[in-house]
Amino acid sequence: MTEAPRSTSISRRRFLQGSGLAATAGLAGCLGGSGGSGLDELNVAYMPIYPDMQYFVMEEEGLFDELSVSVSGKKFSDGPSIVQASATGDFDVMMFGIVPAMIVMDKGIPAKITAANIKNAMQILATDDFAALWEEHGKDAFAEFEAQEGRKFTFGTFPPGSVPDILLRYWIQNTLGLDPEEDVNIKGLGGAAAVQQALLSNNVDGTSIMEPVPTVIDANDAPFQSIAWAGDFMPGQPAAVTLMHDRLRQDNRDLATEFVELHRQATNFVADNPDTAAQHASSVIGESALPVETARAALDSPASDFITDPHDIEGGAEIFADYAQTLGKTEAQLTVDEMFDYGIYDSL
């Protein structure tokens, strides 16, 4: 079940605290602001997952107050839900998976990627029992599982067309040489909360998922472990990105530059202040779902590789573009030029 979006308004209500980010003060003035642009608010779509960590930091550290306009954030459980909502063209910024971003661009909504959020973000989890089969049989473990259990191994992950779904299919087909339609069963469950619940209740045998879910699963002593990491089989694997509508990216270039600069400041903040970043993640996701200590442990995962530079994911983006088109998620195979606007980041 898809979680209903929740709106939050971020006003100019916070003063920068002693966080190491005070250097961003006066940023809007230095960059020229958006005076006379006609935009008096940025509408941002985001997800409560670690690949959107920069949003958590920008919100909780009060960095949005440094923009020359106010920010209104809307939370979605998964990327395909943002794709559906994007049809109205209301969002100026969408922070979500690169495959849903491709789908938005392929649908003709004028937008491009101006920043990456994270790379190498996906873990493939499986039950401890299957992990033992995997250790002994490798890719043949799926056939061995079916022979023993009388059914196919079932992955539960984000909906079709999401990054976890596409990455899982890529791994099965291109890394293992198996057929994701014939050799396993893949179920689209919804967002991170739905996947996490399915794992904790043992309703699936495995998943493709990003942090903090693997760390939450481990903290709850659920019988799952990682059997593969995207950084090993697709180094530089893109996950969430920052997609900007052309009315911001082109028509309000100074404001777009302000946002990407704050994004970069947030990326650096996570690296320099992981304890505080963990508190922010717990706050935004919800402390009952993600206690601070679990949030902090998740930052030590190799899947928590936060970046801003969009150049870092170019190679993986080309792979995903090819795979998305092959699977029919996009009508055309998008080129690098069609997907990315490097100019804003390069100008910082």
Side-chain angles (χ1 to χ4, degrees):
M1 178 181 245
T2 299
E3 178 183 337
R6 177 176 65 89
S7 294
T8 58
S9 291
I10 300 98
S11 63
R12 301 172 181 273
R13 69 188 182 279
R14 295 186 180 95
F15 292 99
L16 287 182
Q17 300 167 351
S19 61
L21 287 177
T24 60
L27 175 64
C30 292
L31 293 174
S34 62
S37 69
L39 277 180
D40 56 8
E41 181 179 64
L42 289 185
N43 292 305
V44 181
Y46 72 98
M47 298 163 57
I49 54 173
Y50 267 38
D52 278 355
M53 179 67 74
Q54 289 89 349
Y55 181 91
F56 306 164
V57 171
M58 287 190 284
E59 179 180 353
E60 295 299 305
E61 282 293 312
L63 296 189
F64 287 135
D65 297 344
E66 291 306 305
L67 291 174
S68 50
V69 299
S70 61
V71 173
S72 178
K74 182 172 284 189
K75 182 173 76 173
F76 292 84
S77 66
D78 55 74
S81 296
I82 296 179
V83 172
Q84 188 174 22
S86 73
T88 61
D90 291 339
F91 295 115
D92 305 298
V93 179
M94 288 166 271
M95 300 177 74
F96 61 159
I98 192 167
V99 179
M102 291 175 185
I103 294 171
V104 167
M105 290 182 279
D106 185 66
K107 287 179 177 292
I109 294 174
K112 285 190 177 183
I113 297 165
T114 56
N117 297 358
I118 195 170
K119 63 182 179 180
N120 304 324
M122 295 298 140
Q123 298 268 16
I124 308 295
L125 303 185
T127 62
D128 291 344
D129 289 343
F130 182 83
L133 288 178
W134 176 261
E135 190 70 26
E136 182 179 356
H137 299 284
K139 69 177 185 179
D140 295 332
F142 292 103
E144 185 68 22
F145 176 92
E146 187 171 356
Q148 290 182 14
E149 302 294 330
R151 62 177 180 82
K152 294 178 183 178
F153 185 98
T154 297
F155 285 103
T157 189
F158 274 45
S162 63
V163 171
D165 173 74
I166 297 282
L167 192 280
L168 175 62
R169 294 174 187 275
Y170 175 90
W171 177 68
I172 292 168
Q173 181 171 315
N174 294 69
T175 303
L176 304 185
L178 301 176
D179 187 336
E181 298 298 331
E182 297 294 330
D183 294 321
V184 298
N185 181 31
I186 300 176
K187 294 172 60 176
L189 298 176
V195 174
Q196 182 173 303
Q197 183 55 41
L199 293 168
L200 291 174
S201 57
N202 293 306
N203 286 335
V204 294
D205 304 307
T207 189
S208 164
I209 199 66
M210 72 291 289
E211 292 290 354
V213 174
T215 301
V216 170
I217 295 303
D218 184 64
N220 281 274
D221 295 321
F224 290 87
Q225 59 183 275
S226 176
I227 61 171
W229 170 51
D232 287 330
F233 62 85
M234 188 195 287
Q237 175 250 319
V241 297
T242 297
L243 184 73
M244 283 190 178
H245 196 283
D246 281 3
R247 66 171 164 266
L248 172 60
R249 182 183 67 86
Q250 289 187 325
D251 301 342
N252 294 276
R253 194 75 169 181
D254 288 342
L255 180 56
T257 304
E258 291 177 34
F259 191 96
V260 175
E261 171 60 19
L262 292 180
H263 186 289
R264 184 171 68 170
Q265 293 284 344
T267 297
N268 293 337
F269 180 89
V270 178
D272 296 338
N273 305 274
D275 292 345
T276 307
Q279 294 172 12
H280 294 336
S282 177
S283 243
V284 175
I285 293 175
E287 191 168 355
S288 60
L290 183 66
V292 173
E293 59 271 20
T294 306
R296 178 63 184 85
L299 286 177
D300 292 331
S301 165
S304 294
D305 191 354
F306 303 104
I307 58 174
T308 295
D309 188 349
H311 295 281
D312 286 355
I313 61 168
E314 181 179 299
E318 291 179 300
I319 294 173
F320 269 72
D322 175 57
Y323 214 71
Q325 194 273 333
T326 299
L327 290 175
K329 301 304 177 184
T330 59
E331 290 187 11
Q333 182 176 330
L334 298 177
T335 66
V336 168
D337 286 344
E338 289 170 329
M339 290 186 283
F340 290 94
D341 177 352
Y342 292 136
I344 293 176
Y345 179 83
D346 291 344
S347 74
L348 297 182

